């Protein structure tokens, strides 16, 4: 086995070990707040994929998610309807990311987590800080960020479009009575990241939607079929690795999705695969149209300038 393959194997092993450790702590201490789905995605993206967009600024790995978790937790204490809390939280998260000059997508999920779990205990914030601190520390110790430029291109236009799209979706869910499934963080994270991509197509959108739907379906079926959360997690991570290889994708969110049923109210778990499918169709279809329109407008602008 050559050096690169060894590093690849060790990276996935370390990421899976962290994920299983979270679930094990949840079982030992009988507290589902130890299970942080987005930490699973972050471990895979940074340690295994070495995604430059997630490694670019190590300080933000811990700072941004911790700050947004405080925002989400604070807003959750207000006496407001669920979607009102989510809307306010998203706006504040975008302002926070703008303030610290970051487009670190996992910050969306950590900010929304206190609302999804209806957290009224500040321990969730401490757990998010501790987990992201470990992720940051490993990145710094192994110099995974050393060759990357810290500068981030912040697009005000994409931020406004993202907020407009999510609010439109929330409105549709509210009208149809499915407001509880309006907020699925792994999808919102992928949508936000997709808007930052220079190149985006219908083929990419299709693969994203299909992979996320399969991931949520597998996670839900295993959760409903097996009692041991640790066994479920081992199977989930193994199956996601197979899914990644079969579909030839590198999408951290598919590793977060199977953990979602662990923290959702039971009445929502059954509807998660269908909710994922419908949300993906709506979100990624509109993102595709938006990105294609921007590409066409840019092309026309270039032709005129020539």
């Amino acid at each position: 086995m050559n050096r690169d393959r060894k590093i690849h194997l060790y990276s996935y092993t370390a990421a899976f070990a962290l994920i299983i450790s979270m679930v094990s702590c949840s079982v030992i201490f009988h507290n589902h707040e130890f299970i942080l789905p987005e930490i699973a995605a972050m471990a895979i993206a940074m340690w295994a994929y070495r995604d430059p967009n997630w490694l670019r600024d190590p300080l933000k790995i811990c700072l941004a998610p911790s700050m947004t978790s405080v925002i989400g937790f604070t807003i959750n204490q207000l006496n407001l309807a669920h979607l009102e809390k989510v809307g306010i939280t998203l706006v504040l998260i975008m302002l926070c990311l703008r303030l610290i000059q970051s487009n670190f997508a996992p910050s969306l999920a950590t900010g929304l987590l206190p609302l999804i779990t209806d957290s009224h205990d500040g321990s969730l914030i401490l757990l998010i800080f501790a987990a992201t601190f470990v992720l940051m520390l490993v990145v710094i110790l192994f110099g995974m960020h050393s060759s990357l430029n810290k500068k981030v291109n912040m697009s005000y236009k994409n931020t406004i479009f993202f907020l407009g799209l999510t609010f439109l979706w929330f409105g549709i869910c509210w009208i149809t009575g499915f407001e509880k499934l309006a907020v699925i963080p792994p999808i919102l994270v992928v949508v936000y990241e997709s808007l930052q991509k220079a190149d985006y197509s219908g083929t990419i959108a299709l693969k994203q939607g299909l992979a996320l739907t399969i991931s949520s379906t597998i996670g839900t079926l295993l959760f409903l079929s097996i009692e041991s959360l640790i066994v479920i997690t081992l199977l989930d991570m193994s199956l996601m690795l197979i899914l990644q290889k079969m579909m030839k994708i590198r999408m951290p969110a598919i590793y977060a999705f199977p953990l979602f049923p662990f923290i959702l109210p039971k009445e929502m778990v059954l509807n998660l695969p269908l909710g994922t499918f419908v949300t993906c169709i709506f979100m990624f279809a509109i993102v595709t149209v938006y990105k294609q329109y921007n590409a066409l407008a840019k092309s026309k602008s270039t032709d005129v300038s020539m």
Side-chain angles (χ1 to χ4, degrees):
M1 185 182 293
N2 60 38
R3 183 173 179 274
D4 288 342
R5 287 182 65 85
K6 283 183 178 179
I7 293 174
H8 191 67
L9 177 61
Y10 294 156
S11 298
Y12 272 98
T13 302
F16 286 176
L18 177 64
I19 296 166
I20 293 166
S21 296
M22 286 194 304
V23 178
S24 299
C25 287
S26 173
V27 172
I28 293 169
F29 295 104
H30 304 285
N31 185 349
H32 72 275
E33 287 192 340
F34 278 96
I35 300 175
L36 307 170
E38 195 57 30
I39 297 301
M42 291 173 69
I44 293 294
M46 290 185 282
W47 295 356
Y49 293 173
R50 309 292 171 94
D51 188 329
N53 293 320
W54 294 38
L55 292 170
R56 199 175 303 281
D57 191 341
L59 180 61
K60 305 288 175 59
I61 293 171
C62 180
L63 179 64
S66 298
M67 290 177 69
T68 59
S69 68
V70 172
I71 291 171
F73 178 80
T74 303
I75 298 302
N76 192 52
Q77 311 314 306
L78 301 178
N79 186 24
L80 297 171
H82 179 66
L83 285 183
E84 290 176 341
K85 292 179 183 180
V86 171
I88 294 171
T89 299
L90 274 177
V91 171
L92 292 177
I93 288 173
M94 291 296 106
L95 289 173
C96 175
L97 293 179
R98 191 80 181 177
L99 179 66
I100 63 175
Q101 288 295 293
S102 173
N103 57 9
F104 193 50
S107 304
L108 291 170
T110 54
L112 293 171
L113 187 59
L115 282 73
I116 292 169
T117 61
D118 193 25
S119 176
H120 294 278
D121 183 350
S123 62
L124 178 61
I125 297 172
L126 295 177
L127 287 169
I128 290 172
F129 172 79
T132 54
F133 184 81
V134 170
L135 290 168
M136 177 190 72
L137 197 61
V138 171
V139 168
I140 293 173
L141 287 176
F142 287 91
M144 298 177 186
H145 65 296
S146 57
S147 61
L148 301 174
N149 185 358
K150 285 187 178 182
K151 188 175 180 181
V152 175
N153 293 322
M154 302 290 294
S155 172
Y156 179 76
K157 179 182 176 183
N158 287 341
T159 299
I160 295 299
F161 180 82
F162 174 75
L163 288 173
L165 175 59
T166 52
F167 287 159
L168 175 61
W169 176 241
F170 294 165
I172 292 171
C173 291
W174 177 73
I175 291 171
T176 56
F178 289 96
E179 59 265 26
K180 283 293 183 179
L181 280 171
V183 186
I184 305 179
I187 299 178
L188 293 182
V189 169
V190 175
V191 168
Y192 183 74
E193 280 197 302
S194 298
L195 289 171
Q196 316 303 323
K197 293 181 182 293
D199 298 314
Y200 193 77
S201 66
T203 302
I204 294 174
L206 182 62
K207 290 182 74 171
Q208 287 176 332
L210 183 59
L212 290 172
T213 301
I214 293 173
S215 176
S216 69
T217 302
I218 290 173
T220 300
L221 290 175
L222 289 177
F223 179 76
L224 295 173
S225 305
I226 302 172
E227 288 189 12
S228 171
L229 296 186
I230 297 174
V231 172
I232 293 172
T233 305
L234 286 168
L235 290 172
D236 280 334
M237 296 304 107
S238 300
L239 291 171
M240 290 310 103
L241 186 58
I242 293 171
L243 176 65
Q244 172 184 302
K245 298 294 184 183
M246 288 180 63
M247 294 193 66
K248 297 180 180 179
I249 56 169
R250 287 163 58 92
M251 192 187 306
I254 64 172
Y255 290 91
F257 236 135
L259 301 182
F260 229 64
F262 296 5
I263 63 172
L264 288 178
K266 287 187 177 180
E267 63 272 15
M268 291 177 60
V269 173
L270 286 172
N271 294 321
L272 184 59
L274 179 60
T276 300
F277 176 69
V278 175
T279 305
C280 285
I281 289 177
F282 179 83
M283 290 282 195
F284 292 124
I286 293 182
V287 170
T288 301
V289 173
Y290 171 75
K291 295 295 287 184
Q292 292 298 311
Y293 173 80
N294 281 349
L296 183 61
K298 185 177 181 181
S299 176
K300 286 183 177 180
S301 175
T302 303
D303 291 341
V304 171
S305 64
M306 290 176 64

